[in-house]
Amino acid sequence: MAARHRLGLELRRLRERAGLTGQDLAAQLGWSQSKVSRIEQARTRATVGDIQVLLALLDVPASARDHVVALAERAASGSWRNSTGVGLTRRQQDFIALEASASEVLHYNPILLPGYMQSEEYARRVIDMAGASNEERAVEYRLARRLTMLGKSAPTYRVVLLETALRWRPVPPNAMARQLDSLAKYAARDNVDLRIVAFDREQSSFMQHPLMVFRFDPPASARGLIETTAADYHLTDAPTVERLIDNFEQLSSSALSRSDSLALIRRVARALVDGQ
């Protein structure tokens, strides 16, 4: 599904660069306007043949066409399961596309800090542990995800972390303290609501794996993502996505308030410095 979103975003960019409206493009292709809209909003699969015709009409140069056709081939495959074997950089590309087109992102992680909030040192260590074949590219994509969060048209981020994520330390204490200081800075942004599920509070729900839900402006439907060690599962079925949202809301309801969460982050960071 992420490939379909990336394809839709790219096709819309190319159409607008050509100075065409969706209606203009549909008329020249002999399609309905709704077909163009559904493809750009990732609500339907386009055939590779359709995309090749569209690219030819938009006069997209061959050097750029191969990339879009490759996206179309992935989007047309109908696979909702991305093995981690595809590589961290492609997974990060999927995240970038989904986050950039979302209006709201729900994110739960029991162990790691969100990739878009990771310092370079923290990110490099985690990427190395994951066995990335191209560490530099993987770091670049994490930093690119942060630009989405910091941008003028950024989505709203609602983040829930277990306290474990604050205390699991893949880097030296001083580096971890800097990472937590940055986390607190990002958590204080207007478009970020970050909550910590503290160790000392009774819980009513749990999730073993990280989850994300991407909400989009209507009429696009929400998408879910569950990350496991072996694979990422992209979920589009509305009842399943709603269950993910319910799980997230239960976790959020048992977390600390936003201000108490920020205070805890700062206490953990201070303890790392004081313990030096």
Side-chain angles (χ1 to χ4, degrees), residues 2-10 67 71 74 93-94 97:
R4 198 190 300 177
H5 272 283
R6 290 170 56 201
L7 176 63
L9 288 170
E10 183 64 13
H67 166 69
L71 273 180
R74 284 183 58 199
Q93 287 177 335
D94 289 345

Side-chain angles (χ1 to χ4, degrees), residues 232-251:
D232 296 340
Y233 294 89
H234 293 267
L235 309 171
T236 58
D237 176 65
T240 303
V241 174
E242 283 301 317
R243 284 197 294 274
L244 277 187
I245 294 172
D246 287 344
N247 288 342
F248 178 88
E249 295 296 352
Q250 289 179 36
L251 289 161

Side-chain angles (χ1 to χ4, degrees), residues 51-100:
I51 299 305
Q52 289 173 329
V53 170
L54 188 154
L55 294 175
L57 187 146
L58 294 177
D59 198 26
V60 176
S63 57
R65 197 175 301 181
D66 290 346
H67 166 69
V68 181
V69 170
L71 273 180
E73 289 171 344
R74 284 183 58 199
S77 70
S79 174
W80 313 121
R81 179 179 182 275
N82 287 345
S83 166
T84 55
V86 303
L88 283 174
T89 55
R90 201 170 92 183
R91 295 173 75 197
Q92 292 296 319
Q93 287 177 335
D94 289 345
F95 285 130
I96 291 170
L98 288 167
E99 288 162 8

Side-chain angles (χ1 to χ4, degrees), residues 46-263:
T47 67
V48 175
D50 280 345
I51 299 305
Q52 289 173 329
V53 170
L54 188 154
L55 294 175
L57 187 146
L58 294 177
D59 198 26
V60 176
S63 57
R65 197 175 301 181
D66 290 346
H67 166 69
V68 181
V69 170
L71 273 180
E73 289 171 344
R74 284 183 58 199
S77 70
S79 174
W80 313 121
R81 179 179 182 275
N82 287 345
S83 166
T84 55
V86 303
L88 283 174
T89 55
R90 201 170 92 183
R91 295 173 75 197
Q92 292 296 319
Q93 287 177 335
D94 289 345
F95 285 130
I96 291 170
L98 288 167
E99 288 162 8
S101 56
S103 58
E104 183 179 42
V105 176
L106 311 183
H107 192 176
Y108 163 75
N109 203 307
I111 298 293
L112 294 176
L113 302 178
Y116 45 84
M117 294 184 179
Q118 292 175 8
S119 67
E120 183 172 344
E121 189 169 0
Y122 183 105
R124 285 187 183 280
R125 185 67 181 122
V126 170
I127 290 166
D128 181 62
M129 289 179 182
S133 59
N134 190 332
E135 180 179 305
E136 291 300 324
R137 183 69 60 83
V139 170
E140 287 175 7
Y141 281 128
R142 269 177 163 77
L143 299 179
R145 291 176 66 193
R146 182 180 306 155
L147 293 179
T148 297
M149 179 183 68
L150 301 178
K152 291 183 179 179
S153 58
T156 298
Y157 290 79
R158 294 182 57 204
V159 181
V160 174
L161 305 175
L162 293 191
E163 186 176 340
T164 313
L166 305 182
R167 300 186 183 276
W168 184 77
R169 183 169 59 77
V171 291
N174 59 340
M176 190 66 190
R178 290 194 298 271
Q179 165 66 89
L180 293 179
D181 286 341
S182 294
L183 181 70
K185 179 182 70 175
Y186 299 135
R189 288 180 56 83
D190 290 341
N191 66 316
V192 177
D193 184 337
L194 188 150
R195 311 289 178 110
I196 305 297
V197 178
F199 287 153
D200 59 357
R201 299 189 69 166
E202 183 176 348
Q203 303 302 314
S204 60
S205 180
F206 75 94
M207 284 284 292
Q208 292 175 289
H209 300 292
L211 73 84
M212 298 185 77
V213 174
F214 305 91
R215 284 173 163 155
F216 308 96
D217 292 332
S221 301
R223 313 292 184 193
L225 172 70
I226 295 178
E227 297 179 73
T228 73
T229 304
D232 296 340
Y233 294 89
H234 293 267
L235 309 171
T236 58
D237 176 65
T240 303
V241 174
E242 283 301 317
R243 284 197 294 274
L244 277 187
I245 294 172
D246 287 344
N247 288 342
F248 178 88
E249 295 296 352
Q250 289 179 36
L251 289 161
S252 181
S253 68
S254 61
L256 298 174
S257 68
R258 188 171 183 237
S259 59
D260 287 346
S261 296
L262 276 168

